[in-house]
């Protein structure tokens, strides 16, 4: 089933999937949209329905639902301490469904379930919008929301040591009315206000998301931030 609120261009591309062979690079997207966080692996096996990659886990999470994309490796930076690749993620080709000790498994043509996050930042007459989707995974969803909000605040000209933030909005849960958010992060505290605002919003989201009595899915997060 396709996730509600999916971003345009997120539908799997059969053409891109056909180009993926053993030795190709593929990426698992934890955050996608105006901000992207991805993990990249090398494909080891492909058949008409699925592929295996990495040869090791990436999150050690077992069952997952993460967008799978074709990927272009731009450069490899060799280092005995921490070698890594610089990549460009490409078209969506399916979804990763398993993150196991021996490999990660992706299903070609499948769609991952993501949580839409919409952030509007206002300050000094300017407005900036950040729209992303974050992974739906108990171990990382709250952290992904924190990183997204923090980056959204840093990428404005109003992000200074003297800036305070007023965050309002809601978290939409299946079967419940929207749960409101209303919090302040003041300049001059021990922690930068941008980080405080992101951590407070992440804590409120985590209380709902990790609540053992929650039965329905999280449909989305809508935030409005006033920079003061």
């Amino acid at each position: 089933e396709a996730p509600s609120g999916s971003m345009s261009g997120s539908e799997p591309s059969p053409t891109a999937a056909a180009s993926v062979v053993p030795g190709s690079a593929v990426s698992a997207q934890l955050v996608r949209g105006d901000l992207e966080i991805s993990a990249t692996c090398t494909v080891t096996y492909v058949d008409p329905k699925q592929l295996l990659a990495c040869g090791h886990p990436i999150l050690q999470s077992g069952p997952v639902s993460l967008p799978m994309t074709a990927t272009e490796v731009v450069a490899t930076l060799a280092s005995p301490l921490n070698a890594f690749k610089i990549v460009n993620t490409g078209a969506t080709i399916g979804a990763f469904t398993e993150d196991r000790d021996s490999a990660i498994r992706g299903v070609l043509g499948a769609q991952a379930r993501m949580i839409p996050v919409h952030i509007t930042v206002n300050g000094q007459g300017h407005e900036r919008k950040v729209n992303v989707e974050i992974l739906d995974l108990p171990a990382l969803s709250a952290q992904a929301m924190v990183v997204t909000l923090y980056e959204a605040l840093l990428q404005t000209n109003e992000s200074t040591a003297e800036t305070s933030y007023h965050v309002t909005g809601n978290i939409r849960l299946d079967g419940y009315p929207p749960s409101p958010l209303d919090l302040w992060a003041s300049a001059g505290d021990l922690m930068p206000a941008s980080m405080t605002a992101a951590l407070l919003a992440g804590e409120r989201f985590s209380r709902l998301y990790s609540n053992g009595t929650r039965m329905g899915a999280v449909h989305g997060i809508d935030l409005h931030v006033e920079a003061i």
Side-chain angles (χ1 to χ4, degrees):
E1 179 182 354
S4 60
S6 294
M7 293 189 165
S8 60
S10 63
E11 294 77 14
S13 166
T15 302
S19 68
V20 175
V21 297
S24 298
V26 289
S27 293
Q29 293 182 306
L30 283 64
V31 179
R32 66 179 176 185
D34 293 335
L35 170 70
E36 183 176 331
I37 301 174
S38 299
T40 299
C41 285
T42 302
V43 175
T44 55
Y45 169 83
V46 182
D47 67 31
K49 295 183 178 180
Q50 65 184 348
L51 62 78
L52 300 177
C54 280
H56 56 77
I58 53 174
L59 301 174
Q60 303 188 49
S61 296
V64 294
S65 183
L66 300 172
M68 176 172 61
T69 73
T71 299
E72 173 196 13
V73 177
V74 178
T76 299
L77 299 184
S79 167
L81 179 63
N82 184 26
F84 63 94
K85 297 180 176 71
I86 298 175
V87 306
N88 291 325
T89 55
T92 302
I93 60 173
F96 286 108
T97 61
E98 299 290 341
D99 177 23
R100 301 293 178 174
D101 285 344
S102 57
I104 59 173
R105 179 240 192 178
V107 176
L108 298 169
Q111 285 206 24
R113 174 179 153 68
M114 305 286 278
I115 300 174
V117 179
H118 306 292
I119 302 171
T120 302
V121 183
N122 287 103
Q124 300 181 12
H126 301 288
E127 179 178 278
R128 183 172 184 273
K129 294 183 181 293
V130 176
N131 297 297
V132 301
E133 292 177 331
I134 64 174
L135 76 170
D136 189 0
L137 187 68
L140 284 176
S141 290
Q143 292 92 320
M145 176 192 170
V146 168
V147 170
T148 299
L149 179 54
Y150 182 57
E151 289 291 332
L153 298 181
L154 287 186
Q155 293 175 12
T156 67
N157 291 330
E158 288 74 38
S159 179
T160 69
E162 292 78 26
T163 303
S164 298
Y165 297 98
H166 184 202
V167 182
T168 57
N170 62 71
I171 300 168
R172 292 179 280 113
L173 302 172
D174 186 25
Y176 298 91
S179 180
L181 282 173
D182 190 341
L183 56 91
W184 289 83
S186 301
D189 290 340
L190 294 178
M191 188 181 299
S194 53
M195 178 62 76
T196 300
L199 289 174
L200 288 175
E203 179 189 14
R204 303 291 176 84
F205 171 65
S206 183
R207 288 182 183 180
L208 292 173
Y209 185 79
S210 303
N211 192 307
T213 63
R214 177 177 68 86
M215 301 298 292
V218 178
H219 284 309
I221 304 169
D222 302 302
L223 300 177
H224 179 270
V225 184
E226 183 183 5
I228 304 166

